[in-house]
Amino acid sequence: MNADLLKKLCAVHGVSGREGAIAKVILEEVKPFIDDHKIDALGNLIAHKKGDGKKMMLAGHMDQIGLMVTHITKEGFLYFSAIGGMRHTYMMGHRFVFPNGAVAIANCEGEVDLKDLALNKMYLDIGARDEADAKKYVKIGDVCVFQAEPVVNGDSFMSMALDDRIGCFIMIEALKRLKKPAFDLYFVFTSQEEVGLRGARTSAYGVDPDYALAFDVTLSADTPKAPKLPMKMGGGAAIKIKDASVICHPKIVEHLESCAKAAKIKHQFEVLEMGGTDSGAIHVSRAGVPSGVISIATRHVHSANELCSVSDIEDCIKLTVKALETAIG
């Protein structure tokens, strides 16, 4: 696995609606392997690899959760609004970084019991002396994301933004390994997934695919007191059956399962009671698109240190390649 590339992808600043920098990095990686590309009105990067088969759309979102500055106090502290599903319990004491390099620390007002903690009781501290000093570094509307160094620890990879730079990474690596695709392929690196699957909705309408596969993290239900669900780190590529946004098409689920078995790729099945991925928007585009998802079981999702298995990543890449080189019956 190309750990350096995954680290590079995770480190790029790209909060929802501000995906330009990460789109540029991804395009540099995929350009030698595609026939054409475009960036659409919502910032989706659509990379086309021509083929003779039916049209297959692959989707992984580029954006990450973050914070937007909404108010600067006279003392120089920053109040904010969350962009995406930011969990206050994961924020306390963590550093956040702005695109210009300014760094802030998240904290709360006074002594607050964890059960009473809420985003509106928190602030960001950039060490400013007062409002004028703070405005040298940030302004209303500026956005920041977790600051954390990606780390490989044995078979584990931990980083901010694995949701969903890991999906983008799997798509990139699969594209590089493809030899004889059985489809006309559209690799779509989507925008604004974390705020409502927006990029997937518009790009699916534009691509108008026959089939679709999304790539994203899913809950790893192997931690203390986790829900009784089948997904776990080290269990292989996760083939989604359902989540709150989609019931995956049986034809796609069967295709992924048969490909995994044929190539002896370690796999597991995902049944999730919550959440959603780009497939939730794609499968109801136009007259409907048979859709599925390849997921990677991840611990501590939406924190500064999301955690997944390196071997699972490799299994996801292998399954993607096999699925794209095998026609759907």
Coordinates of all heavy atoms in Angstrom, one line a residue, residues 155-218:
D155 N -0.4 -2.8 11.4 CA -1.4 -2.9 10.4 C -2.5 -1.8 10.5 O -3.5 -1.8 9.8 CB -2.1 -4.3 10.6 CG -3.1 -4.6 9.4 OD1 -2.7 -4.4 8.2 OD2 -4.3 -4.8 9.7
S156 N -2.3 -0.8 11.3 CA -3.2 0.2 11.5 C -2.8 1.5 10.9 O -1.6 1.8 10.9 CB -3.5 0.5 13.0 OG -4.1 -0.7 13.6
F157 N -3.7 2.3 10.3 CA -3.4 3.6 9.8 C -4.4 4.6 10.5 O -5.6 4.4 10.6 CB -3.7 3.7 8.3 CG -3.2 5.0 7.7 CD1 -2.0 5.0 7.0 CD2 -4.0 6.1 7.7 CE1 -1.6 6.2 6.4 CE2 -3.6 7.3 7.1 CZ -2.4 7.3 6.5
M158 N -3.8 5.6 11.2 CA -4.6 6.6 11.9 C -4.4 8.0 11.4 O -3.3 8.3 11.1 CB -4.4 6.5 13.4 CG -3.0 6.8 13.9 SD -2.8 6.6 15.7 CE -2.8 4.8 15.8
S159 N -5.5 8.7 11.3 CA -5.4 10.1 10.7 C -6.7 10.8 10.8 O -7.7 10.1 11.0 CB -5.0 10.0 9.2 OG -4.9 11.3 8.7
M160 N -6.7 12.1 10.8 CA -7.9 12.8 10.5 C -8.2 12.6 9.1 O -7.4 12.2 8.2 CB -7.6 14.3 10.7 CG -6.6 15.0 9.8 SD -6.5 16.7 10.0 CE -5.5 17.1 8.6
A161 N -9.5 12.8 8.7 CA -10.0 12.9 7.3 C -9.9 11.6 6.6 O -10.1 11.5 5.4 CB -9.2 14.0 6.5
L162 N -9.7 10.4 7.3 CA -9.9 9.1 6.6 C -11.3 9.1 6.0 O -11.5 8.4 5.0 CB -9.6 8.0 7.6 CG -8.2 7.6 7.9 CD1 -8.1 6.5 8.9 CD2 -7.4 7.2 6.6
D163 N -12.2 9.7 6.6 CA -13.6 9.9 6.1 C -13.5 11.2 5.2 O -13.7 12.3 5.8 CB -14.6 10.0 7.2 CG -16.0 10.2 6.8 OD1 -16.3 10.0 5.6 OD2 -16.8 10.6 7.6
D164 N -13.4 11.1 3.9 CA -13.3 9.9 3.1 C -12.1 10.0 2.2 O -12.2 9.5 1.1 CB -14.6 9.8 2.4 CG -14.7 8.5 1.6 OD1 -14.2 7.5 2.0 OD2 -15.3 8.5 0.5
R165 N -11.0 10.4 2.7 CA -9.8 10.4 1.8 C -9.4 8.9 1.6 O -8.8 8.6 0.6 CB -8.6 11.1 2.4 CG -8.9 12.6 2.7 CD -9.2 13.4 1.5 NE -9.9 14.7 1.8 CZ -9.3 15.8 2.3 NH1 -8.0 15.7 2.6 NH2 -10.0 16.8 2.5
I166 N -9.8 8.0 2.5 CA -9.6 6.6 2.3 C -10.3 6.1 1.1 O -9.8 5.3 0.3 CB -9.9 5.8 3.5 CG1 -9.4 4.3 3.4 CG2 -11.4 5.8 3.8 CD1 -7.9 4.2 3.3
G167 N -11.6 6.6 0.9 CA -12.3 6.2 -0.3 C -11.7 6.7 -1.6 O -11.6 6.0 -2.6
C168 N -11.2 8.0 -1.5 CA -10.5 8.5 -2.7 C -9.3 7.7 -3.0 O -8.9 7.5 -4.2 CB -10.2 10.0 -2.4 SG -11.6 11.1 -2.2
F169 N -8.5 7.4 -2.0 CA -7.3 6.6 -2.1 C -7.6 5.2 -2.8 O -6.8 4.8 -3.7 CB -6.6 6.4 -0.8 CG -5.4 5.5 -0.8 CD1 -4.2 6.0 -1.2 CD2 -5.5 4.2 -0.4 CE1 -3.1 5.2 -1.2 CE2 -4.3 3.4 -0.4 CZ -3.1 3.9 -0.8
I170 N -8.6 4.5 -2.3 CA -8.9 3.2 -2.9 C -9.3 3.4 -4.4 O -8.8 2.6 -5.2 CB -10.1 2.6 -2.1 CG1 -9.6 2.2 -0.7 CG2 -10.7 1.4 -2.9 CD1 -10.8 1.9 0.2
M171 N -10.0 4.4 -4.7 CA -10.3 4.7 -6.1 C -9.1 5.0 -7.0 O -8.9 4.4 -8.1 CB -11.3 5.8 -6.2 CG -12.7 5.5 -5.7 SD -13.8 7.0 -5.5 CE -13.8 7.7 -7.1
I172 N -8.2 5.8 -6.4 CA -7.0 6.1 -7.2 C -6.1 4.9 -7.4 O -5.6 4.6 -8.5 CB -6.2 7.2 -6.4 CG1 -6.9 8.5 -6.3 CG2 -4.8 7.4 -7.0 CD1 -6.3 9.5 -5.3
E173 N -5.9 4.1 -6.4 CA -5.1 2.9 -6.5 C -5.7 1.9 -7.4 O -5.0 1.2 -8.2 CB -4.8 2.3 -5.1 CG -3.9 3.2 -4.2 CD -2.5 3.4 -4.9 OE1 -1.8 2.4 -5.0 OE2 -2.2 4.6 -5.2
A174 N -7.0 1.7 -7.3 CA -7.7 0.8 -8.2 C -7.5 1.2 -9.7 O -7.3 0.4 -10.6 CB -9.2 0.7 -7.9
L175 N -7.7 2.5 -9.9 CA -7.5 3.1 -11.3 C -6.1 2.7 -11.8 O -6.0 2.4 -13.0 CB -7.8 4.6 -11.3 CG -7.5 5.3 -12.6 CD1 -8.3 4.8 -13.7 CD2 -7.7 6.8 -12.3
K176 N -5.1 2.9 -11.0 CA -3.7 2.6 -11.4 C -3.5 1.2 -11.8 O -2.7 0.8 -12.6 CB -2.8 3.1 -10.3 CG -2.7 4.6 -10.1 CD -1.8 4.9 -9.0 CE -1.6 6.4 -8.7 NZ -0.8 6.8 -7.6
R177 N -4.2 0.3 -11.1 CA -4.0 -1.2 -11.3 C -4.9 -1.8 -12.4 O -4.6 -2.9 -12.8 CB -4.3 -1.9 -10.0 CG -3.3 -1.5 -8.8 CD -3.6 -2.4 -7.6 NE -3.0 -1.9 -6.4 CZ -3.0 -2.5 -5.2 NH1 -3.6 -3.6 -5.1 NH2 -2.4 -1.9 -4.2
L178 N -5.9 -1.1 -12.8 CA -6.8 -1.6 -13.8 C -6.1 -2.0 -15.1 O -5.2 -1.2 -15.6 CB -7.9 -0.6 -14.2 CG -9.1 -0.6 -13.3 CD1 -10.0 0.6 -13.7 CD2 -9.9 -1.8 -13.4
K179 N -6.4 -3.2 -15.7 CA -5.9 -3.6 -17.0 C -6.9 -3.6 -18.0 O -6.8 -3.0 -19.1 CB -5.2 -5.0 -16.8 CG -4.0 -5.0 -15.9 CD -3.3 -6.3 -15.9 CE -2.0 -6.2 -15.0 NZ -2.1 -6.9 -13.8
K180 N -8.0 -4.4 -17.8 CA -9.1 -4.5 -18.8 C -10.4 -4.3 -18.2 O -11.1 -5.2 -17.9 CB -9.0 -5.9 -19.5 CG -7.8 -6.2 -20.3 CD -7.8 -7.6 -20.9 CE -6.6 -7.8 -21.8 NZ -6.6 -9.2 -22.4
P181 N -10.8 -3.0 -18.0 CA -12.1 -2.7 -17.4 C -13.2 -3.2 -18.3 O -13.2 -3.1 -19.5 CB -12.1 -1.2 -17.3 CG -11.1 -0.7 -18.3 CD -10.0 -1.8 -18.4
A182 N -14.3 -3.6 -17.6 CA -15.5 -4.2 -18.3 C -16.5 -3.1 -18.4 O -17.7 -3.4 -18.8 CB -16.0 -5.4 -17.5
F183 N -16.2 -1.8 -18.0 CA -17.2 -0.8 -18.0 C -16.6 0.5 -18.6 O -15.4 0.6 -18.7 CB -17.7 -0.5 -16.6 CG -18.2 -1.6 -15.9 CD1 -17.4 -2.5 -15.1 CD2 -19.6 -1.9 -16.0 CE1 -17.9 -3.5 -14.4 CE2 -20.1 -3.0 -15.3 CZ -19.3 -3.8 -14.5
D184 N -17.4 1.4 -19.0 CA -17.0 2.8 -19.3 C -17.0 3.5 -17.9 O -18.1 3.7 -17.3 CB -18.0 3.4 -20.3 CG -17.6 4.8 -20.8 OD1 -16.4 5.1 -20.8 OD2 -18.5 5.6 -21.1
L185 N -15.9 3.9 -17.5 CA -15.7 4.3 -16.0 C -15.6 5.8 -15.8 O -14.9 6.5 -16.5 CB -14.4 3.6 -15.5 CG -14.4 2.1 -15.5 CD1 -13.1 1.6 -15.1 CD2 -15.5 1.6 -14.5
Y186 N -16.4 6.2 -14.8 CA -16.3 7.6 -14.3 C -16.0 7.6 -12.9 O -16.8 7.2 -12.0 CB -17.7 8.3 -14.6 CG -18.0 8.6 -16.0 CD1 -18.5 7.6 -16.8 CD2 -17.8 9.8 -16.6 CE1 -18.7 7.8 -18.2 CE2 -18.0 10.1 -17.9 CZ -18.5 9.1 -18.7 OH -18.8 9.3 -20.0
F187 N -14.7 8.0 -12.6 CA -14.3 8.1 -11.2 C -14.6 9.5 -10.7 O -14.0 10.5 -11.2 CB -12.8 7.9 -11.1 CG -12.4 6.4 -11.4 CD1 -12.3 5.9 -12.6 CD2 -12.0 5.6 -10.3 CE1 -11.9 4.6 -12.8 CE2 -11.6 4.3 -10.5 CZ -11.6 3.8 -11.8
V188 N -15.6 9.6 -9.8 CA -16.1 10.9 -9.4 C -15.6 11.2 -7.9 O -16.1 10.4 -7.0 CB -17.6 11.0 -9.5 CG1 -18.0 12.4 -9.2 CG2 -18.0 10.7 -11.0
F189 N -14.8 12.2 -7.8 CA -14.4 12.6 -6.4 C -15.3 13.7 -6.0 O -15.1 14.8 -6.5 CB -12.9 12.9 -6.5 CG -12.0 11.8 -6.9 CD1 -11.7 11.6 -8.3 CD2 -11.5 10.9 -6.1 CE1 -11.0 10.6 -8.8 CE2 -10.7 9.8 -6.5 CZ -10.5 9.6 -7.8
T190 N -16.2 13.4 -5.1 CA -17.3 14.3 -4.9 C -17.1 15.4 -3.9 O -16.3 15.3 -3.0 CB -18.6 13.5 -4.5 OG1 -18.3 12.8 -3.3 CG2 -19.0 12.5 -5.6
S191 N -17.9 16.4 -3.9 CA -17.9 17.5 -3.0 C -19.1 17.5 -2.1 O -20.1 16.8 -2.4 CB -17.9 18.9 -3.8 OG -19.2 19.0 -4.5
Q192 N -19.0 18.1 -0.9 CA -20.1 18.4 0.0 C -20.9 17.1 0.4 O -22.1 17.3 0.7 CB -21.0 19.5 -0.6 CG -20.2 20.8 -0.8 CD -21.2 21.9 -1.2 OE1 -22.2 22.1 -0.5 NE2 -20.8 22.7 -2.2
E193 N -20.2 16.0 0.5 CA -21.0 14.8 1.1 C -21.4 15.0 2.5 O -22.5 14.6 2.9 CB -20.1 13.6 0.9 CG -20.8 12.2 1.2 CD -20.7 11.8 2.7 OE1 -20.0 12.5 3.5 OE2 -21.3 10.8 3.0
E194 N -20.5 15.6 3.3 CA -20.7 15.7 4.7 C -21.8 16.7 5.1 O -22.3 16.7 6.2 CB -19.4 16.2 5.4 CG -18.3 15.2 5.3 CD -18.4 14.0 6.2 OE1 -19.5 13.8 6.8 OE2 -17.5 13.1 6.2
V195 N -22.3 17.4 4.2 CA -23.4 18.4 4.4 C -24.7 18.0 3.6 O -25.5 18.9 3.4 CB -23.0 19.8 4.2 CG1 -22.0 20.3 5.2 CG2 -22.4 20.0 2.8
G196 N -24.8 16.8 3.2 CA -26.0 16.3 2.5 C -25.9 15.7 1.1 O -26.8 15.8 0.3
L197 N -24.7 15.0 0.9 CA -24.5 14.3 -0.4 C -24.8 15.1 -1.6 O -25.2 14.7 -2.7 CB -25.5 13.1 -0.4 CG -25.7 12.2 0.8 CD1 -26.6 11.1 0.6 CD2 -24.3 11.7 1.3
R198 N -24.4 16.4 -1.5 CA -24.8 17.4 -2.6 C -24.0 17.1 -3.9 O -24.6 17.1 -5.0 CB -24.5 18.8 -2.1 CG -25.4 19.1 -0.9 CD -25.0 20.5 -0.2 NE -25.8 20.7 1.0 CZ -25.6 21.7 1.8 NH1 -24.6 22.6 1.5 NH2 -26.3 21.9 2.9
G199 N -22.7 16.9 -3.8 CA -21.9 16.7 -5.0 C -22.3 15.4 -5.7 O -22.3 15.3 -7.0
A200 N -22.6 14.4 -5.0 CA -23.0 13.1 -5.6 C -24.3 13.3 -6.3 O -24.5 12.7 -7.4 CB -23.2 12.0 -4.5
R201 N -25.2 14.1 -5.8 CA -26.5 14.3 -6.4 C -26.4 14.9 -7.8 O -26.9 14.5 -8.8 CB -27.4 15.1 -5.5 CG -28.8 15.3 -6.0 CD -29.7 15.9 -4.9 NE -30.0 15.0 -3.8 CZ -29.4 15.2 -2.6 NH1 -28.7 16.2 -2.3 NH2 -29.7 14.3 -1.7
T202 N -25.6 16.0 -7.8 CA -25.5 16.7 -9.1 C -24.6 15.9 -10.1 O -24.9 15.9 -11.3 CB -24.9 18.1 -8.9 OG1 -23.6 18.0 -8.3 CG2 -25.8 18.9 -8.0
S203 N -23.5 15.3 -9.6 CA -22.6 14.6 -10.6 C -23.3 13.4 -11.1 O -23.1 13.0 -12.3 CB -21.3 14.2 -9.9 OG -21.5 13.4 -8.7
A204 N -24.1 12.7 -10.3 CA -24.8 11.5 -10.8 C -25.8 11.9 -11.9 O -26.0 11.2 -12.9 CB -25.6 10.8 -9.7
Y205 N -26.5 13.1 -11.7 CA -27.4 13.5 -12.8 C -26.6 13.8 -14.1 O -27.1 13.5 -15.2 CB -28.1 14.8 -12.3 CG -29.2 15.3 -13.2 CD1 -30.5 14.9 -13.0 CD2 -28.9 16.1 -14.3 CE1 -31.5 15.3 -13.9 CE2 -29.9 16.5 -15.2 CZ -31.2 16.1 -14.9 OH -32.2 16.5 -15.8
G206 N -25.4 14.4 -13.9 CA -24.6 14.7 -15.1 C -24.1 13.5 -15.8 O -24.1 13.4 -17.0
V207 N -23.5 12.5 -15.0 CA -22.9 11.3 -15.6 C -24.0 10.4 -16.1 O -23.8 9.7 -17.2 CB -22.1 10.6 -14.5 CG1 -21.6 9.2 -15.0 CG2 -20.9 11.5 -14.1
D208 N -25.1 10.3 -15.5 CA -26.2 9.4 -15.9 C -25.7 8.0 -16.0 O -25.8 7.4 -17.1 CB -26.9 9.9 -17.2 CG -28.2 9.2 -17.5 OD1 -28.8 8.5 -16.6 OD2 -28.6 9.2 -18.6
P209 N -25.2 7.3 -14.9 CA -24.6 6.0 -15.1 C -25.6 4.9 -15.1 O -26.8 5.0 -14.7 CB -23.8 5.9 -13.8 CG -24.6 6.7 -12.8 CD -25.1 7.9 -13.6
D210 N -25.2 3.7 -15.6 CA -26.0 2.5 -15.5 C -25.9 1.8 -14.2 O -26.8 1.2 -13.7 CB -25.6 1.5 -16.6 CG -25.8 2.1 -18.0 OD1 -26.9 2.3 -18.4 OD2 -24.8 2.3 -18.7
Y211 N -24.7 1.9 -13.6 CA -24.4 1.3 -12.3 C -23.6 2.3 -11.5 O -22.9 3.2 -12.0 CB -23.6 0.0 -12.4 CG -24.3 -1.1 -13.2 CD1 -23.7 -1.4 -14.4 CD2 -25.4 -1.7 -12.8 CE1 -24.3 -2.4 -15.2 CE2 -26.0 -2.7 -13.5 CZ -25.4 -3.1 -14.8 OH -26.0 -4.0 -15.5
A212 N -23.5 2.1 -10.1 CA -22.7 3.0 -9.3 C -22.1 2.2 -8.1 O -22.7 1.3 -7.6 CB -23.4 4.2 -8.8
L213 N -20.9 2.6 -7.7 CA -20.2 2.1 -6.5 C -19.7 3.3 -5.8 O -19.0 4.2 -6.3 CB -19.0 1.2 -6.9 CG -19.3 -0.3 -7.2 CD1 -18.0 -0.9 -7.5 CD2 -19.9 -1.0 -6.0
A214 N -20.0 3.4 -4.5 CA -19.5 4.4 -3.6 C -18.4 3.8 -2.7 O -18.5 2.6 -2.5 CB -20.6 5.1 -2.8
F215 N -17.6 4.6 -2.2 CA -16.5 4.2 -1.3 C -16.4 5.1 -0.1 O -16.3 6.3 -0.2 CB -15.1 4.2 -2.0 CG -15.1 3.3 -3.3 CD1 -15.7 3.8 -4.5 CD2 -14.5 2.1 -3.2 CE1 -15.6 3.0 -5.6 CE2 -14.5 1.3 -4.3 CZ -15.1 1.7 -5.5
D216 N -16.5 4.5 1.1 CA -16.5 5.3 2.3 C -16.2 4.5 3.5 O -16.1 3.3 3.5 CB -17.9 6.0 2.5 CG -17.9 7.4 3.1 OD1 -17.0 7.6 3.9 OD2 -18.8 8.2 2.8
V217 N -16.0 5.2 4.6 CA -15.8 4.5 5.9 C -17.1 4.0 6.4 O -18.2 4.5 6.0 CB -15.2 5.4 7.0 CG1 -13.8 5.9 6.5 CG2 -16.1 6.6 7.3
T218 N -17.1 3.0 7.3 CA -18.2 2.6 8.1 C -17.8 2.3 9.5 O -16.6 2.3 9.8 CB -18.9 1.4 7.4 OG1 -20.2 1.1 8.1 CG2 -18.0 0.1 7.6

